[in-house]
């Protein structure tokens, strides 16, 4: 340690110990996550079908080739797709039915988050496979919503991505109780060094019918790559809205050089690093489905 004038080494060591102790909970959570992924990776990989296996022509209008190219570019907030499909994925009454059913499932199929960066929220998983979802007794509106969400990655994959994509066996149901202060601090969906985590593209589908952003808050806040790139952008979690961005990670200079070399050969990999957070909601519960399309 380099001792600044008037700062004894013992004081610096005490400050360092306090810092490490304060981050212990986060480090323990990450270690548990790594252990689980390492143990289950082999069996999990066998459950990941290609996106084309769930393609559905009824959603072809949601993501265009131009949208896919913008997403693939990974150029900060401008590469994030905020989509309000027309026609919507489900009619309003069907979306409300699915939303009501999933809210009832929160008490049965979710657990409170133990992630220290995501306190107060509740999360569970629903199968993407239509037969498995039907056997769990989900209603027709919820089944239709899962089917259409599961079909969206094929719209990106068919436009070319740079490496093969696969689907996870399940989507996440995320619930933030209104007025609880629950939030998700700024984070990436895939961080450097996360062993076995292969998230490549994040697909969010919001289920909040009649959401009033001015009264309820609960926005998704998108952070630019750096301060020089502008201010954060808030996206309201309106019912039926779809948000898509690269799960990404912060690439090293070596990775960027490799990508540039591959680009010259016509085979570049997408580069993304979309830092984002979930702001607290007031007076209404916030509900969303998240599908993390993965790389092979």
């Amino acid at each position: 340690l380099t001792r600044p004038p008037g700062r004894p080494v013992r004081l610096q060591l005490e400050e360092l110990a306090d810092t490490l102790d304060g981050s212990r909970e986060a480090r323990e959570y990450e270690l548990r996550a790594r252990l689980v992924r390492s143990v289950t990776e082999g069996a999990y990989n066998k459950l990941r079908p290609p996106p084309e296996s769930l393609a559905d022509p009824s959603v072809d209008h949601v993501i265009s080739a131009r949208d896919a190219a913008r997403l693939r570019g990974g150029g900060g907030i401008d590469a994030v797709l905020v989509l309000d499909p027309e026609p919507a994925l489900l009619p309003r009454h069907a979306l409300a039915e699915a939303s009501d059913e999933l809210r009832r499932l929160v008490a049965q199929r979710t657990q409170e988050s133990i992630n220290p960066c995501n306190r107060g929220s509740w999360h569970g998983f629903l199968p993407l496979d239509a037969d498995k979802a039907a056997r769990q007794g989900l209603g027709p509106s919820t089944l239709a919503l899962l089917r259409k969400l599961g079909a969206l990655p094929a719209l990106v994959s068919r436009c070319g991505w740079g490496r093969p994509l696969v689907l996870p066996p399940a989507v996440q149901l995320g619930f933030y109780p209104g007025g609880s202060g629950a939030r998700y601090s700024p984070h990436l969906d895939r961080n450097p060094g996360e062993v076995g985590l292969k998230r490549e593209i994040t697909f969010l589908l919001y289920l909040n019918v009649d959401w009033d952003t001015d009264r309820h808050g609960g926005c998704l806040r998108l952070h630019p790559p750096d301060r020089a790139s502008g201010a954060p952008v808030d996206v309201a979690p309106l019912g039926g809205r779809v948000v898509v961005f690269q799960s990404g990670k912060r690439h090293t200079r070596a990775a960027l050089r490799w990508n540039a070399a591959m680009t010259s050969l016509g085979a570049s990999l997408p580069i993304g690093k979309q830092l984002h957070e979930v702001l607290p909601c007031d007076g209404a519960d916030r509900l969303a489905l998240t599908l993390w399309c993965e790389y092979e």
Side-chain angles (χ1 to χ4, degrees), residues 200-261:
E200 185 81 348
I201 310 173
T202 299
F203 292 80
L204 298 171
L205 172 57
Y206 294 116
L207 304 165
N208 310 299
V209 179
D210 295 328
W211 189 264
D212 185 333
T213 307
D214 290 336
R215 290 194 298 124
H216 300 149
C219 286
L220 171 72
R221 175 163 291 175
L222 304 170
H223 291 270
D226 51 62
R227 292 181 179 178
S229 301
V233 172
D234 289 349
V235 178
L238 305 180
R241 172 168 284 176
V242 175
V243 179
V244 189
F245 53 85
Q246 289 191 32
S247 308
K249 66 177 181 179
R250 298 185 187 278
H251 289 267
T252 62
R253 291 182 180 178
L256 292 172
R257 288 196 298 269
W258 170 255
N259 192 78

Side-chain angles (χ1 to χ4, degrees), residues 59-73 81 83 154-161:
V59 302
D60 281 356
H61 64 287
V62 177
I63 299 176
S64 67
R66 180 176 295 180
D67 290 332
R70 182 156 60 94
L71 174 68
R72 190 170 57 246
L81 307 182
L83 308 167
L155 303 179
V156 175
S157 179
R158 72 184 182 185
C159 295
W161 187 253

Side-chain angles (χ1 to χ4, degrees), residues 16-208:
L16 177 60
D18 288 342
T19 299
L20 291 173
D21 187 60
S23 66
R24 181 173 55 189
E25 190 175 21
R27 289 184 285 113
E28 289 176 347
Y29 172 82
E30 174 59 23
L31 179 58
R32 285 195 299 269
R34 289 190 179 202
L35 288 172
V36 170
R37 287 196 294 267
S38 297
V39 170
T40 61
E41 184 176 11
Y44 176 78
N45 286 341
K46 297 177 182 179
L47 302 175
R48 303 188 303 159
E52 291 72 20
S53 67
L54 294 186
D56 182 345
S58 72
V59 302
D60 281 356
H61 64 287
V62 177
I63 299 176
S64 67
R66 180 176 295 180
D67 290 332
R70 182 156 60 94
L71 174 68
R72 190 170 57 246
I77 293 177
D78 289 341
V80 177
L81 307 182
V82 179
L83 308 167
D84 295 302
E86 185 58 45
L89 292 184
L90 290 183
R92 187 182 183 283
H93 73 276
L95 181 65
E97 287 179 357
S99 178
D100 289 344
E101 180 174 40
L102 292 173
R103 289 174 195 277
R104 291 193 297 269
L105 290 178
V106 167
Q108 305 169 22
R109 300 192 186 180
T110 65
Q111 294 181 331
E112 188 171 6
S113 172
I114 60 171
N115 185 339
C117 298
N118 192 17
R119 291 296 193 195
S121 61
W122 294 75
H123 302 274
F125 288 89
L126 301 170
L128 261 183
D129 182 271
D131 292 336
K132 291 182 180 178
R135 287 197 295 271
Q136 292 188 7
L138 298 177
S141 294
T142 302
L143 292 175
L145 196 66
L146 290 171
R147 184 182 71 250
K148 294 191 176 191
L149 175 59
L152 296 181
L155 303 179
V156 175
S157 179
R158 72 184 182 185
C159 295
W161 187 253
R163 59 179 167 186
L165 298 173
V166 290
L167 296 174
V171 300
Q172 185 187 74
L173 172 63
F175 176 75
Y176 288 76
S180 67
R183 65 179 301 158
Y184 203 151
S185 301
H187 65 284
L188 300 170
D189 282 352
R190 174 165 54 84
N191 292 288
E194 286 194 286
V195 178
L197 190 63
K198 298 182 178 180
R199 294 171 181 171
E200 185 81 348
I201 310 173
T202 299
F203 292 80
L204 298 171
L205 172 57
Y206 294 116
L207 304 165
N208 310 299

